[in-house]
Structure formats: structure tokens, C-alpha cells
Amino acid sequence: MDILGDIDKPWRILVNETNPSEDTDGDTQDNRIVTYSDWEAPKMEWICNPDFFSPSRCPKMIGQNGLYESPEDYLNCVLRLWVAMTFSEGHAALAPHCRSRGQIMACGNALWPVSDSSQNISGLRCRTRGCKHPVEFCCRIKNHDSLCGNCAARSVKEHMG
């Protein structure tokens, strides 16, 4: 039975145990900017960043006048969409959620960043009592919840624990 215990199991989370004295770039890792290419080794900061998953910020499969400049340009677009679709549920689990109540239960949809081209955000206000900041995140269903950036960040921290 010890042999079965030693086999690498794909469902097992492996922990990289390093000695803190050996970690030379510890300070630079904490202050590092999260980039799109971090999907290859995702961390909490990456999956909480809505810029990589928001439908309004994902690339559109149209190219310029229906043509792509190169095969690499096309593949980059496909890769970005694939990554967004693959990790969107993980992002939605940590994102702030809509708490608008319907007849039976709360909506529960993830709140997405308001696109820069949205024109109907003037009537939205942050659902947090006493908050006067402009709305940055809203539910996809009209007249449901919306949050400012500060309240959304607080909600994400609560989901992360």
C-alpha cells in the first residue's frame, strides 16, 4: 500500500516547500504586477482580476475588417478567449455577487466591471449603505445590484477569507 501512496495523483495539490532564508525575491514577488500570461501558474491575485474574464474586455473574434494580421494574432485571440472561458467560473466564485432578491431567492450572479462604453450607468448607485462612490461593477440583469471599486474589493477579500 505504500507504493500507492507514493504515486503522483493528478488531483493532489502539491506544495512547494522552500526555506524562507533561500527566497531571494520574496519582496519583489509581493509587489509584482499581475499580467495576462500568469494564467500558466495562476494565483489568487490573477484570478481575482476581472480584466482577464470580463466579457466586455475579452477580445472579439473579428480581426481587422474580418482578417487577422498573422496566424499568431489569430491564435493569441483564441488563447485569450480560451483562458477567459476556462477560468471564468473560478473568478466568478471570488467576485462580488448580486444580492437582489427575486420572488424566490437572491440573484447570486457575479458582478462584472461596467464597460467603458456603457451609457446606462448614470442611474446606478453603490448598494453599500452610505457609499457615494461611482459604480464600477454591476449585475448583468437590469435594475439589480451594483458596487463601487472600494466596496467590490472589500467583498472579494471577504470571499477569500
Side-chain angles (χ1 to χ4, degrees):
M1 287 308 241
D2 289 337
I3 295 173
L4 293 177
D6 293 337
I7 296 175
D8 282 339
K9 298 174 181 85
W11 61 86
R12 192 173 73 180
I13 298 174
L14 299 175
V15 178
N16 186 7
E17 297 180 19
T18 59
N19 186 354
S21 62
E22 295 174 4
D23 190 14
T24 57
D25 60 337
D27 293 335
T28 58
Q29 286 286 45
D30 292 341
N31 297 329
R32 194 172 72 78
I33 295 173
V34 178
T35 62
Y36 172 77
S37 62
D38 291 342
W39 73 268
E40 295 172 359
K43 295 197 171 33
M44 293 301 283
E45 295 83 13
W46 181 83
I47 204 153
C48 288
N49 188 339
D51 291 336
F52 308 131
F53 310 105
S54 174
S56 63
R57 296 182 181 164
C58 285
K60 309 298 183 259
M61 289 290 299
I62 55 173
Q64 189 173 31
N65 297 327
L67 299 173
Y68 291 89
E69 293 180 17
S70 66
E72 290 80 20
D73 189 31
Y74 171 76
L75 290 175
N76 184 40
C77 182
V78 170
L79 179 66
R80 290 183 68 95
L81 289 171
W82 174 76
V83 168
M85 289 188 291
T86 302
F87 290 99
S88 65
E89 291 298 320
H91 169 74
L94 296 170
H97 291 89
C98 179
R99 295 184 184 162
S100 291
R101 287 222 164 256
Q103 294 176 351
I104 299 172
M105 56 190 266
C107 173
N109 286 325
L111 300 181
W112 291 103
V114 176
S115 68
D116 299 334
S117 62
S118 290
Q119 294 149 3
N120 296 330
I121 63 170
S122 59
L124 297 177
R125 59 185 178 94
C126 185
R127 75 165 185 233
T128 306
R129 195 172 285 160
C131 183
K132 304 280 191 236
H133 293 104
V135 168
E136 294 183 31
F137 295 84
C138 67
C139 182
R140 63 184 171 92
I141 299 174
K142 187 177 181 178
N143 297 327
H144 274 214
D145 278 343
S146 54
L147 286 177
C148 68
N150 294 338
C151 296
R154 193 175 324 120
S155 178
V156 168
K157 284 189 181 188
E158 289 173 6
H159 287 144
M160 288 173 53

